[in-house]
Amino acid sequence: MNSTASFAVPAPHSANALALAIANPGALGTIDAYISAVNRLPMLTVEEEGRLARKFRDDEDLSAARELILSHLRLVVSIARQYLGYGLPHADLVQEGNVGLMKAVKRFDPDRGVRLVSFAIHWVKAEIHEYILKNWRLVKVATTKAQRKLFFNLRSMKRDANALTGDQVADIATKLNVRPEDVSEMEVRLSGQDMALEGRNDDGESEFAPIAYLSDEGQQEPTRVLESRERDKLQGQGLLGAIDTLDARSRRIIEARWLQDDGGSTLQELADEFGVSAERIRQIEARAMGKMRTALAEYA
C-alpha cells in the first residue's frame, strides 16, 4: 500500500466511514490516513465503556458494539506495529487485529472488573499470530504451542544478527522450554530469504532459479503425458494405417528407405530392384510420403 498517496480523510465523527474501515483499513486510502483517523476518535471512560458493553450484552445493540470497537481501533494499530518485522503489510496486520477486537467485544463481560483494553489484547494478538503463521512465506511453521512461542520470541531473544552459538541455543531452549534442535531449526527458517521460483531472463539467472531444478523428471506434467501418448499413437497405429493406404511398390520403397535398422536402402539400390531410374524411385517415394501425411492428418 502506498503511504504517500493523497486522499480525503473523514472527519473524526464519521463513524460510518470508520465502521467500514474496521473490515478493511485500506478503505480510507492509505494506512497512514487510517491511523490518523482512528487516533482522533475519543476514548471511552470506565462508565461509558460499562454502559455500552451492558447494552450490547443484554440488548444486542449493535450500535453500542460499534462504539466499543471504534474507540479501541488505536489499540489494534499499536499492537500490529509490533509485528512489522515479519514483512507482511501493516494494513493486513491491522485488519486481522480488528477481527480479534470484534471477537473480544462479543465475549467481553463488563461485570468482571476488567477493562476492555486488557481483555482485547489477547484476542487481537491471537488473530495477528494466526495470520502471520498462515502467510509468512510459503512453508508452514510453528504448528505446536511451543513452536509458536519460539517463533514469536526468538528474534527478540537474539542479541545480534549473527548465528546463535551452542550456549545461546541451549539458554534459549531452557527459557522457552523447547528442545535445542527446535531452536536451531527455527533460527534457520527465520533467517532464510525468499527466493523467486522463476528467475529473471537477463544474465542467464533463470538457469539457476528453483524452477530449473525442482521439477521431478519422473513425474511429467499432464500436458506432456498427453502429448507423449498422442505421439506414440501416431507412431504406432497411425503409421501402420498410413502405410496400409499405399500400393505394394510404394510400401516396399517406404519400408526399405525409412523403416530399416541398418539405415535403409539407397535410391539406386531400389532402382536396380524395380528396373527403373533412381529419379523415378524418388518420385514414387515423394508421392507416397504425401499420401501418408494426408492419412496421418485424418487419423489425428
Side-chain angles (χ1 to χ4, degrees):
M1 182 178 292
N2 184 0
S3 60
T4 60
S6 60
F7 76 114
V9 180
H13 61 273
S14 181
N16 289 334
L18 281 175
L20 173 63
I22 291 173
N24 181 14
L28 291 180
T30 69
I31 185 62
D32 292 336
Y34 173 84
I35 293 173
S36 176
V38 300
N39 283 338
R40 293 200 301 270
L41 287 170
M43 299 181 68
L44 300 175
T45 64
V46 177
E47 293 75 17
E48 290 173 331
E49 181 181 292
R51 176 180 58 82
L52 290 170
R54 292 183 183 89
K55 194 173 182 181
F56 174 58
R57 182 194 63 187
D58 300 337
D59 303 330
E60 298 185 356
D61 189 331
L62 294 182
S63 62
R66 186 182 67 175
E67 289 189 54
L68 289 170
I69 292 171
L70 293 177
S71 64
H72 288 80
L73 291 179
R74 66 180 71 195
L75 168 68
V76 177
V77 171
S78 176
I79 295 175
R81 190 177 291 116
Q82 302 171 18
Y83 296 93
L84 291 177
Y86 294 99
L88 297 172
H90 193 186
D92 291 350
L93 294 171
V94 171
Q95 177 174 306
E96 296 301 318
N98 286 343
V99 173
L101 175 60
M102 294 179 197
K103 292 182 178 180
V105 169
K106 183 178 181 180
R107 294 165 174 80
F108 179 58
D109 185 354
D111 295 331
R112 290 185 177 272
V114 179
R115 290 296 302 269
L116 177 57
V117 62
S118 301
F119 181 75
I121 287 176
H122 163 77
W123 291 96
V124 173
K125 286 187 175 182
E127 218 50 48
I128 293 177
H129 285 186
E130 191 67 25
Y131 171 74
I132 292 175
L133 293 176
K134 287 182 178 179
N135 294 275
W136 193 73
R137 302 221 164 100
L138 296 177
V139 180
K140 189 175 183 180
V141 297
T143 56
T144 67
K145 185 177 181 179
Q147 288 177 330
R148 287 171 182 250
K149 184 178 181 181
L150 177 60
F151 181 86
F152 288 106
N153 286 278
L154 183 57
R155 284 190 175 184
S156 61
M157 297 181 73
K158 289 186 64 173
R159 299 170 185 172
D160 49 45
N162 297 325
L164 293 172
T165 64
D167 293 339
Q168 290 173 332
V169 169
D171 182 55
I172 293 176
T174 301
K175 291 180 179 178
L176 297 179
N177 193 27
V178 296
R179 299 180 305 170
E181 49 265 37
D182 290 338
V183 176
S184 299
E185 181 185 359
M186 189 62 71
E187 181 194 17
V188 171
R189 300 181 81 166
L190 286 173
S191 61
Q193 298 296 320
D194 290 333
M195 179 183 293
L197 184 62
E198 298 184 4
R200 299 193 303 270
N201 293 326
D202 56 325
D203 300 328
E205 184 175 336
S206 59
E207 298 178 4
F208 303 98
I211 193 66
Y213 55 80
L214 288 181
S215 61
D216 184 357
E217 298 299 331
Q219 299 293 331
Q220 294 185 351
E221 60 176 327
T223 55
R224 292 187 178 181
V225 172
L226 292 175
E227 290 175 359
S228 177
R229 290 178 179 175
E230 190 66 21
R231 183 172 59 253
D232 293 342
K233 183 184 291 186
L234 286 176
Q235 291 178 346
Q237 299 174 356
L239 185 58
L240 291 176
I243 290 178
D244 287 341
T245 63
L246 304 177
D247 59 80
R249 183 174 62 172
S250 297
R251 179 169 182 167
R252 164 63 185 151
I253 292 174
I254 292 298
E255 289 177 344
R257 290 277 291 161
W258 299 99
L259 300 179
Q260 302 299 317
D261 295 332
D262 58 359
S265 303
T266 65
L267 293 175
Q268 187 58 53
E269 290 173 343
L270 290 170
D272 294 340
E273 178 181 339
F274 288 100
V276 295
S277 66
E279 175 61 21
R280 178 58 181 159
I281 295 297
R282 188 195 66 77
Q283 294 174 355
I284 295 173
E285 178 188 32
R287 187 164 57 248
M289 294 290 283
K291 190 173 183 180
M292 290 178 63
R293 290 192 188 96
T294 302
L296 284 173
E298 293 176 353
Y299 183 86

